Amino acid sequence: MTVPGAETAPRAEAPAADGAAGPGVPAAEAAGAGHSTAADAPGADAPGAEADDAEADSGARRAVRAVGAVALRFARQPYWERAGADWVVRRWPDLTACLVATFFFWLSLTPSLVPRPWYYQGVIGGITAAIGYGLGALLSRLFRLVSPWQPSQRARARCWLVYLLALPWAVGIMLGQSADMQRELRRLQELPPTLTWHSLMITAISLAVLALLLVTARAIRLGTRLLTRLLNRFVPWPVAVALGMALSTTLVVVGTRDVVWDRGVLEVADRLAAAKDRSTDPGVLRPYSPALSGSPDSLIAWEDLGNKGRTFTGTAISGEEISGFTGEPARDPIRAYVGRAAYEDYADGAELAVRELERTGAFEREVLAVTGTTGTGWVNPTTVEALEYLHGGDTAVVAMQYSYLPSWASFMVDRNEAGEATEALFDAVYARWQQEPEGERPRLLVFGESLAVSAIESAFDGLDDMIERTDGALMIGPPDFSPIHAELTRERDAGSPVWRPVYDGGRHVRFAQYPERDLRLPEGAAWEDPRIVYLQNASDPVVWWSPDLLFRRPEWLNQPLGPDVTSAIDWFPFVTFWQTTVDMAVSYGAPAPHGHRYGSNPVDAWAAVAPPEGGWTAEDSERLGWLLEVRHPPRHGWAG
């Protein structure tokens, strides 16, 4: 096959016979060409050396001319055309698509809520560029179909030359600006600056991801064309096209959803999570205190608690440890936990939880707290221990596991299960709590973190119901889809930003990122009981992620921005959604209180929601916060 634009090289002349003079060579020189002379002696000039130099010089000129010819041909047509209309795969990308892909790649480099590691940035850059390429290719295709004017070959060549020459400089400028913006964001969130070689790795990974996605898309297109031709043997061409596209779309959708996702990603996640749930973390030992589930006295077997349940009860602090901190007598806290393997349905699990609370004497304690769990059944130990230290161990905390999947997988496959399980648990505990004499009931509190916030809120009909049936609540890192949180944010007082809303003048509910100052806002306003605190960081992607980011600018990007959100952030269709999605995966990379880390902030929050009767000072909160930071240092990864 002849490549368009290739030229036919001239035929080489045959060499002259031995002893014969070539064209333009004197006979005398030809005759003496094969004999030695005195000039060959050492120290004399060698005609052969001069010939070698001339030949080398001539070879260099030929190489330069060859390179020049190639450059000229490339300048005339810096792209390849398809050999025929029957070719499905182009031999050169579409220029409009490349321009849009480059623009989208630049958008992907703009900062978002939390700093992204270079490898994540490379992946999101490639995915975003592929989205841009697809949109650009669609626009180019539509233009060719509807426009009577088409650019000339010379115009296309010049556009390609400009693009190819400007691309390296443009990418360098993009990466430099991105590094500057990331440095500002990392400074705001108390992280060290990025390294220079990160930019090179971002480019390489983005190109690899983009190439992989484009090859996959073109392979699907090729398969569709082959399928259409096969069908055309039996049905007319328009029918074959329609059937081919329908079958191809079905295969891709079903294959991606059922094979890759359900039987691939989710099945692997389920197997790994199930194996993890059967295991016990290092350092976790079965408790022997009757105040803890899983002990010999417990109604729930140690094996039925699940991994997170065993950690919850197997690492419980003792009254002696609490007394060592407070200097006052303390009791062993009660921790009741019902693992998923211990019950058939949620009603049975909730009933079992109530019986476990009765066995431990939980309804005789000063504080009784119901908590939701994340997908795996995890409960933040910092939040639990803060409450236990505050009240000298005179507490009881109960939780019920509804799944062993990670939160992201639980959100995808059984999002409603969290709310149904937690609602059944709270309703059962609340009904039993009401049976106690009114003046002798413990304080009834609820709390949760991340996905558990949505689960806890689902147990109530709204804020008024939560105020009516509890003595206080602590919600940490609430997802955007949490029903009560969404209502409070939507109906916040005028003038308050979405990342620090004020609802009803702060009468019952307050939001905080820095509790020691935020919980005093609005200044001078009365804070009535029961009190509800929402800990939410302005840079927490879990709080702000929503499918609406695909097509709608979010309120958290309006001025004024949150205290740890860079001024360089902005919204772009599709891009911001992908960035925030990736941010959730790396939201534990920043120190508290940034991203999805809240550190020891629950100490100040509990001190405001349910202060101990003996009094509690800011110095006590500072000491306890330091202790809990030491006991539970930050770890990377997704906790739930």
Side-chain angles (χ1 to χ4, degrees):
M1 181 179 67
T2 302
V3 178
E7 298 179 358
T8 305
R11 197 182 327 175
E13 295 182 5
D18 291 342
V25 180
E29 294 181 14
H35 300 281
S36 299
T37 64
D40 295 329
D45 292 337
E50 295 178 358
D52 290 341
D53 291 342
E55 183 178 353
D57 185 59
S58 177
R61 286 196 297 270
R62 287 197 299 270
V64 171
R65 286 196 296 269
V67 171
V70 172
L72 182 60
R73 287 197 299 269
F74 180 77
R76 289 174 179 171
Q77 186 174 320
Y79 54 86
W80 293 335
E81 294 282 7
R82 290 187 291 179
D86 57 338
W87 282 41
V88 176
V89 181
R90 293 186 181 92
R91 296 190 65 187
W92 198 259
D94 183 84
L95 178 58
T96 303
C98 288
L99 289 170
V100 180
T102 305
F103 177 67
F104 269 57
F105 173 71
W106 172 70
L107 295 181
S108 75
L109 296 175
T110 58
S112 53
L113 289 168
V114 293
R116 295 185 293 270
W118 55 268
Y119 40 89
Y120 276 107
Q121 179 58 63
V123 172
I124 193 175
I127 294 174
T128 308
I131 295 173
Y133 189 93
L135 293 175
L138 177 61
L139 292 175
S140 181
R141 177 67 174 173
L142 293 176
F143 177 81
R144 289 194 298 268
L145 289 175
V146 302
S147 175
W149 177 85
Q150 300 295 329
S152 65
Q153 182 174 354
R154 175 178 292 185
R156 292 181 62 195
R158 289 179 177 177
C159 290
W160 265 111
L161 280 176
V162 172
Y163 174 77
L164 294 175
L165 292 175
L167 182 61
W169 298 96
V171 171
I173 293 173
M174 294 174 190
L175 292 172
Q177 291 179 339
S178 174
D180 291 340
M181 292 184 289
Q182 287 291 329
R183 275 191 286 269
E184 179 190 356
L185 180 58
R186 297 177 75 87
R187 178 182 58 79
L188 288 173
Q189 300 188 10
E190 306 170 65
L191 289 169
T194 56
L195 303 177
T196 303
W197 62 270
H198 291 171
S199 297
L200 300 176
M201 295 304 299
I202 289 171
T203 305
I205 295 174
S206 297
L207 286 174
V209 172
L210 173 62
L212 176 62
L213 294 175
L214 290 184
V215 168
T216 302
R218 291 187 172 188
I220 294 172
R221 183 183 178 191
L222 177 60
T224 304
R225 176 62 64 88
L226 295 176
L227 179 60
T228 302
R229 288 181 175 178
L230 178 62
L231 292 172
N232 187 223
R233 298 179 181 178
F234 309 100
V235 296
W237 178 252
V239 178
V241 171
L243 288 176
M245 293 184 65
L247 290 174
S248 177
T249 302
T250 302
L251 289 174
V252 170
V253 172
V254 173
T256 302
R257 184 192 63 191
D258 294 351
V259 179
V260 177
W261 183 251
D262 291 346
R263 300 182 184 178
V265 176
L266 288 182
E267 186 171 342
V268 170
D270 182 82
R271 292 180 180 179
L272 293 176
K276 176 68 174 177
D277 193 57
R278 292 190 295 268
S279 68
T280 303
D281 290 341
V284 176
L285 301 176
R286 183 184 183 185
Y288 284 87
S289 168
L292 302 172
S293 292
S295 66
D297 299 303
S298 174
L299 302 179
I300 299 100
W302 174 250
E303 295 77 13
D304 292 339
L305 289 180
N307 176 272
K308 301 304 181 184
R310 285 189 286 273
T311 300
F312 179 69
T313 63
T315 59
I317 57 177
S318 65
E320 185 177 354
E321 291 176 278
I322 297 174
S323 181
F325 172 80
T326 62
E328 301 290 338
R331 305 179 66 177
D332 289 337
I334 294 172
R335 293 191 184 183
Y337 193 97
V338 180
R340 187 64 186 88
Y343 65 91
E344 291 294 331
D345 56 44
Y346 298 141
D348 291 339
E351 181 186 354
L352 179 59
V354 170
R355 289 193 286 118
E356 181 76 347
L357 290 174
E358 291 175 332
R359 180 193 66 79
T360 58
F363 294 97
E364 301 171 4
R365 293 294 176 108
E366 178 186 351
V367 172
L368 171 59
V370 179
T371 181
T373 68
T374 61
T376 58
W378 177 77
V379 179
N380 191 339
T382 300
T383 308
V384 177
E385 290 179 11
L387 184 64
E388 293 169 342
Y389 273 104
L390 249 72
H391 293 276
D394 198 9
T395 59
V397 179
V398 59
M400 185 170 73
Q401 181 187 24
Y402 66 89
S403 172
Y404 53 73
L405 291 173
S407 289
W408 64 266
S410 179
F411 173 80
M412 297 298 298
V413 301
D414 54 9
R415 173 177 167 181
N416 295 329
E417 301 296 315
E420 293 174 4
T422 308
E423 181 179 6
L425 174 63
F426 178 80
D427 287 347
V429 173
Y430 179 74
R432 175 61 183 81
W433 174 80
Q434 283 189 308
Q435 296 176 13
E436 296 292 316
E438 187 170 350
E440 300 177 10
R441 297 171 184 167
R443 296 193 203 178
L444 183 59
L445 307 175
V446 293
F447 69 95
E449 181 167 342
S450 195
L451 188 60
V453 173
S454 177
I456 284 289
E457 291 188 352
S458 298
F460 302 94
D461 294 333
L463 176 64
D464 292 339
D465 187 35
M466 181 181 289
I467 292 174
E468 177 68 25
R469 296 203 291 162
T470 71
D471 295 310
L474 173 56
M475 307 298 181
I476 304 174
D480 177 79
F481 53 82
S482 303
I484 297 179
H485 174 265
E487 177 186 354
L488 298 177
T489 303
R490 184 174 56 254
E491 299 180 4
R492 67 187 184 276
D493 294 352
S496 61
V498 68
W499 47 268
R500 193 72 66 247
V502 176
Y503 180 82
D504 192 22
R507 189 160 66 95
H508 285 287
V509 183
R510 298 197 177 181
F511 294 76
Q513 179 171 354
Y514 301 95
E516 65 278 7
R517 72 176 188 223
D518 292 341
L519 292 180
R520 294 198 298 266
L521 302 177
E523 290 287 355
W527 195 2
E528 302 177 9
D529 290 324
R531 295 178 174 182
I532 299 170
V533 169
Y534 280 88
L535 293 178
Q536 65 176 41
N537 299 333
S539 58
D540 188 350
V542 175
V543 176
W544 309 123
W545 182 90
S546 169
D548 292 343
L549 291 173
L550 281 166
F551 306 107
R552 182 184 303 173
R553 179 185 176 87
E555 289 187 275
W556 48 267
L557 285 178
N558 296 339
Q559 295 293 337
L561 294 172
D564 55 347
V565 177
T566 174
S567 58
I569 194 171
D570 206 344
W571 175 80
F572 304 98
F574 300 103
V575 177
T576 302
F577 172 81
W578 284 113
Q579 286 180 324
T580 309
T581 302
V582 174
D583 284 348
M584 288 198 297
V586 296
S587 59
Y588 275 86
H594 308 290
H596 199 51
R597 288 196 185 277
Y598 291 86
S600 60
N601 278 353
V603 174
D604 290 298
W606 278 133
V609 171
E613 294 181 357
W616 189 265
T617 66
E619 290 74 16
D620 293 332
S621 292
E622 185 177 355
R623 286 196 309 120
L624 180 55
W626 180 85
L627 173 63
L628 295 180
E629 290 281 1
V630 172
R631 283 181 55 85
H632 305 288
R635 294 182 299 173
H636 291 284
W638 186 259

